[in-house]
Each structure stands twice: as C-alpha cells, then as structure tokens.
Amino acid sequence: MAILKLIQSTESHPTADWIYAKLKPKYPDLSLGTVYRNLKKFCECGKIKSIGVINGQEHFDANIYKHAHFICEECGIVEDIDSSFFSKEDLSDVSDKYGIDIRTADIVFNGSCKKCLAKGTHSDKTA
Ligand SMILES: [Zn+2]
Ligand SMILES: [Zn+2]
C-alpha cells in the first residue's frame, strides 16, 4: 500500500528503482522484486498504468485519466500534457476507416524540456 500511496503522491512518473529507493529507508525488508510485483498488480487492476520504457526504465503513472506525455530526449523527464488531442469522434473515424476498434490513444511527444532548453545543451550530449 505504501507503494501505491507513493506513486499517487508524485507527478514524476516514477520508476521501480525510484520507488524502491524512496521506501527502502522506511521499510528495510523491502526488495526490488516486491516493488516490481506490486507495480504489476496495480497495473492489472487499473490503479496505475505503465507509460512504457524510457531510457531503459519502465515508468509508471498514477494518473489513469487520459492525458498525453512529453518526454525530454535529453534528461528523460516525463511531463503530463493536460489535453486530449483526439476526440472520441476522431477515434471512431479512424476505427471505421481501418475496420478496427480503438479504445484509447496514448500520445507521447518527444523533444527538449524547459530546463534543457535553458541550459542550451541540446545538441551537446557531453555537457
Ligand atoms: Zn530535459
Ligand atoms: Zn502522466
């Protein structure tokens, strides 16, 4: 339960490692495997969702309502973009066109975040 609470208290789209590092001091018996198992369970029952693997680590989101994500290609930060780009009508248009049934659309934008832009290092990965 502490795991679920922690995810719901942050907007940072945490990874299992991040959650483990946060909870370990408080729960010395906690193992990374337990964190993974619980994350999987929460995903299955729809309490959280996985937003996929970014920079080699799976990120999780407690905001299960439809929203888009922005991922910075430089620092890997994940931000919520609070608007829907496809309406229900758009999705059913596409469904009709291809003879498929689209239920949701996960939209991910990639680029440089504010911080990285401010640093002005977006073409120089060594900085
Ligand atoms: Zn960035
Ligand atoms: Zn999100």
Side-chain angles (χ1 to χ4, degrees):
M1 278 305 106
I3 295 172
L4 187 59
K5 246 191 210 151
L6 181 64
I7 303 175
Q8 287 171 339
S9 70
T10 177
E11 283 178 5
S12 68
H13 305 86
T15 62
D17 282 350
W18 184 90
I19 292 161
Y20 175 71
K22 282 266 176 190
L23 292 179
K24 186 69 178 168
K26 233 169 132 188
Y27 304 91
D29 292 338
L30 187 73
S31 74
L32 193 54
T34 307
V35 175
Y36 274 112
R37 256 198 316 281
N38 279 283
L39 288 171
K40 234 185 133 186
K41 216 172 66 191
F42 295 142
C43 281
E44 275 162 13
C45 59
K47 287 195 165 76
I48 61 169
K49 63 178 192 178
S50 166
I51 57 171
V53 176
I54 302 157
N55 294 339
Q57 289 219 297
E58 189 168 14
H59 287 249
F60 296 90
D61 197 347
N63 182 356
I64 53 168
Y65 297 101
K66 208 169 118 187
H67 61 285
H69 286 114
F70 169 79
I71 299 168
C72 177
E73 287 169 337
E74 291 153 62
C75 67
I77 198 173
V78 183
E79 286 176 8
D80 285 336
I81 306 285
D82 194 15
S83 66
S84 53
F85 293 88
F86 295 113
S87 66
K88 261 209 164 100
E89 289 72 33
D90 288 336
L91 292 182
S92 66
D93 280 355
V94 177
S95 290
D96 287 350
K97 188 173 168 193
Y98 292 94
I100 52 180
D101 179 23
I102 300 172
R103 287 178 204 93
T104 58
D106 285 324
I107 301 162
V108 176
F109 298 100
N110 293 288
S112 303
C113 73
K114 252 190 216 160
K115 260 193 206 155
C116 291
L117 283 176
K119 275 189 292 185
T121 56
H122 52 100
S123 55
D124 184 5
K125 300 253 182 214
T126 57

